[in-house]
Amino acid sequence: MSTTPQSTSTPRKILVLGATSGIAEATCRIWASQGASLFLVARNAEKLAAVAADLKTRGASYVDTAVADLDDTDQHPSLLAHAVNSLTGMDIAYLAHGVLGDQTEAERDFNTAAQILHTNFMAPVSLLTWLANFCVQRHAGTLAVLSSVAGDRGRKSNYVYGSSKAGLSAFLDGLRNRIDREGVTVLTIKPGPTKTAMTAGMPKSEKFADVDSVAESIVSAIDKRRDILYVPFQWQPIMFIIRNIPERIFKKLNL
């Protein structure tokens, strides 16, 4: 896939929520090379400053940032309004906020499970509700959201994380059904395991997908106004098979 700059008259205005995640950062590098205007939001001020500086050197026409805890839903309206004002509009909102969480601990402690569900589902729902209404008012825009193949079917190895992503994917399905007719694209991105800092300690992580290739696929899917993206592509048939294993068999598997 090509990552050469697009021949657009004005730079695209892109809001990135969770900008220091590995996949988000790789995607932003492509947009920076295209001369995009970027507003980056993340929790870690030091990492965010480093990412912003790197994107400026890579060709971004404008970069602004905000340090924020996206789990704090009460702050979302003012944060998003500030971001849109800084960009003087918004063409794409890219939501990459999320955590893997600790499955073993979540099995023992409800509060751990609840925090994973809040970060991966409730917080994105809050952000997307504001962003969707903003885009509908303008009959334009793209909402691109990182979900996961883990949400396609609950498995004992990660069902708390998986259920949070299943809820997010279902929310995006319904949101798309509501606002696509208003000229707004909703892209559900379902990556398989990807080599990032977040997955570095996981078993067999050396076999995970290359983050730059994943980012290229995401940028391409946004440009093509796709609805759902499995990345790498082979996860679509893999998850089709997994979803269709009869429950009497599936419940005995170690997945």
Side-chain angles (χ1 to χ4, degrees), residues 32-208:
S33 74
Q34 297 174 350
S37 295
L38 299 165
F39 191 99
L40 313 175
V41 181
R43 184 182 317 202
N44 185 303
E46 186 177 353
K47 289 181 181 178
L48 182 61
V51 170
D54 177 66
L55 296 176
K56 289 176 184 176
T57 65
R58 291 176 184 270
S61 60
Y62 175 82
V63 180
D64 196 3
T65 64
V67 177
D69 180 358
L70 291 174
D71 281 351
D72 185 355
T73 56
D74 289 341
Q75 300 302 316
H76 288 175
S78 59
L79 170 67
L80 296 172
H82 170 65
V84 168
N85 287 336
S86 177
L87 288 169
T88 65
M90 186 188 74
D91 299 310
I92 299 167
Y94 182 40
L95 205 166
H97 174 61
V99 293
L100 282 173
D102 187 328
Q103 170 68 32
T104 302
E105 185 61 27
E107 291 169 11
R108 293 193 295 257
D109 176 52
F110 167 73
N111 290 325
T112 300
Q115 186 57 57
I116 295 169
L117 293 168
H118 181 84
T119 298
N120 290 348
F121 180 63
M122 296 303 295
V125 165
S126 172
L127 293 164
L128 289 164
T129 298
W130 193 98
L131 291 166
N133 292 333
F134 174 85
C135 291
V136 165
Q137 289 176 353
R138 288 150 185 78
H139 299 283
T142 295
L143 306 178
V145 184
L146 284 183
S147 185
S148 172
V149 296
D152 279 17
R153 191 167 191 177
R155 293 168 289 133
K156 75 173 191 175
S157 61
N158 66 353
Y159 64 81
V160 177
Y161 172 78
S163 61
S164 70
K165 292 299 189 177
L168 180 58
S169 292
F171 181 86
L172 293 169
D173 287 345
L175 185 64
R176 182 183 305 110
N177 188 229
R178 175 170 80 87
I179 67 176
D180 182 81
R181 65 198 70 189
E182 303 292 341
V184 184
T185 298
V186 177
L187 170 63
T188 304
I189 303 162
K190 296 185 176 185
T194 304
K195 287 186 218 171
T196 65
M198 187 168 73
T199 62
M202 295 177 65
K204 300 181 181 179
S205 60
E206 69 279 358
K207 297 180 181 179
F208 290 177

Side-chain angles (χ1 to χ4, degrees), residues 17-44:
L17 299 155
T20 57
S21 81
I23 294 177
E25 188 177 349
T27 311
C28 287
R29 286 196 292 265
I30 297 173
W31 283 326
S33 74
Q34 297 174 350
S37 295
L38 299 165
F39 191 99
L40 313 175
V41 181
R43 184 182 317 202
N44 185 303

